[in-house]
Amino acid sequence: MLRIADTVHAGVPRRTVEDVLRREQWHRLAPGIYSPPGAPPTPTLRMTAVQQLVPEAVASHRSAAGLHGLAVLRHRLEITVPVRRRPSVPGLTVHRATLPATDVVRPLGHHATSLHATSLPRTLVDLLRSAEVDEAVASPDSALHQRLITLSGLRSALDTRLTGRPRTRALGVLARTDPAAESPAESVARVRMQEAGLRPESQVRLTCAGGRRIRADFGFRAEGLLIEIEGYAWHGTRADHERDVRRYKTSSTAPASAASSAGTRPPGPHLTAESGAIPRENPPVSRGNAPSPQGSRPCPGG
């Protein structure tokens, strides 16, 4: 990173520095702080620049979630500063709070840097009480799925930090989390189904007619319906996406009921169903309610 103030202090005229930065297309991280041209700066690099500009700033909320390796639907630069500080940095969301020392850490993987962030429990509590529902659910789902915290541990963190309406709101959102969620898309899709009054089973494990075992993101056993969330952006790698596509195709060739493949685009899922099938070992399904035009072919390779 380059700080204009440091370069000017070394004797280079400010106008010269600014001309070079503009001509070579350096990336502006924060007022007076730039990174070299080339690859776009990462959220971590931007936060490092912000903390140089505002030394007492602590990465929090979505920024802290990203630093802790959690799923984040929308990356945003967010910091928490002491109550009386009012930094003004374009593009920065500022929260004010008195943070106890135990709520401030150097995130795992960033111990060699000067980065400071709210602790994992504090970060999750902040999101549960203040973020939009999709985001307030996605990051806790990610933490629970990675076993970075337990549900009881998260509940305890919430109980010791919140009271009144913020606590009531956070508890309501916490009740909607699910450690079985494997991606932000699944978290968002589950929230949408909950809003529609549906309560799907997560990570449904099934056995095809040929004995092959498969798993779907969601299922409604009584109705004979499987739902698989699709979308390359949510899977992390192309291989992960192709694996899930194969899993859906496998489920859709098992006998007796229906499967659905859901494509997801940020910020929420747009579900489009295709007919498929669930194994016969599940509760019987009326074909009038769950058509299966592919018939009763066994699972591939079963």
Side-chain angles (χ1 to χ4, degrees):
M1 290 187 297
L2 181 146
R3 289 172 57 101
I4 291 180
D6 293 340
T7 307
V8 171
H9 183 73
V12 182
R14 174 178 287 272
R15 181 65 177 272
T16 300
V17 177
E18 292 175 344
D19 286 346
V20 170
L21 294 175
R22 183 170 53 256
R23 183 171 62 252
E24 296 184 359
Q25 298 183 335
W26 282 55
H27 298 288
R28 184 178 185 271
L29 303 176
I33 304 177
Y34 291 77
S35 66
T42 63
T44 298
L45 189 59
R46 290 188 181 279
M47 183 55 65
T48 301
V50 168
Q51 291 188 345
Q52 286 192 19
L53 199 65
V54 187
E56 63 270 47
V58 175
S60 63
H61 297 74
R62 296 163 188 79
S63 287
L67 291 173
H68 285 298
L70 306 183
V72 179
L73 294 182
R74 304 168 186 84
H75 284 283
R76 184 182 303 172
L77 281 177
E78 293 188 83
I79 62 172
T80 293
V81 297
V83 175
R84 295 185 179 181
R85 284 285 282 126
R86 297 185 179 277
S88 178
V89 180
L92 186 65
T93 300
V94 179
H95 305 272
R96 296 175 183 84
T98 299
L99 295 173
T102 53
D103 276 356
V104 180
V105 300
R106 288 189 178 180
L108 187 65
H110 299 278
H111 290 165
T113 72
S114 60
L115 276 175
H116 286 83
T118 48
S119 65
L120 179 66
R122 174 65 190 234
T123 299
L124 295 174
V125 168
D126 284 341
L127 292 172
L128 285 168
R129 70 175 175 82
S130 64
E132 295 179 7
V133 174
D134 290 353
E135 297 183 278
V137 168
S139 291
D141 272 1
S142 177
L144 292 167
H145 183 74
Q146 296 180 64
R147 298 183 180 180
L148 300 177
I149 193 170
T150 62
L151 196 56
S152 60
L154 184 49
R155 172 65 182 264
S156 176
L158 190 156
D159 287 340
T160 58
R161 290 171 173 83
L162 298 179
T163 59
R165 289 185 179 180
R167 179 177 180 276
T168 300
R169 195 267 185 180
L171 285 173
V173 178
L174 180 61
R176 304 177 74 167
T177 61
D178 186 350
E182 295 184 338
S183 73
E186 292 179 24
S187 298
V188 173
R190 189 182 68 253
V191 167
R192 291 290 178 274
M193 286 186 275
Q194 290 171 346
E195 290 172 345
L198 303 174
R199 294 294 181 267
E201 177 184 347
S202 298
Q203 303 303 325
V204 183
R205 296 182 182 278
L206 306 165
T207 302
C208 298
R212 182 174 178 181
R213 295 184 179 277
I214 61 173
R215 178 168 51 84
D217 294 333
F218 299 106
F220 296 88
R221 289 182 184 269
E223 293 76 12
L225 177 69
L226 289 180
I227 297 177
E228 187 70 15
I229 305 302
E230 297 298 341
Y232 169 67
W234 294 113
H235 289 74
T237 68
R238 188 172 299 279
D240 290 339
H241 180 241
E242 291 175 350
R243 177 204 63 203
D244 278 357
V245 169
R246 287 195 299 272
R247 189 170 68 186
Y248 166 70
K249 288 180 178 178
T250 296
S251 69
S252 67
T253 57
S257 49
S260 169
S261 177
T264 306
R265 296 188 299 270
H270 305 266
L271 307 182
T272 55
E274 298 178 22
S275 297
I278 298 179
R280 295 182 186 280
E281 68 180 27
N282 290 285
V285 178
S286 165
R287 287 190 179 275
N289 295 331
S292 181
Q294 296 189 19
S296 299
R297 297 177 309 210
C299 296

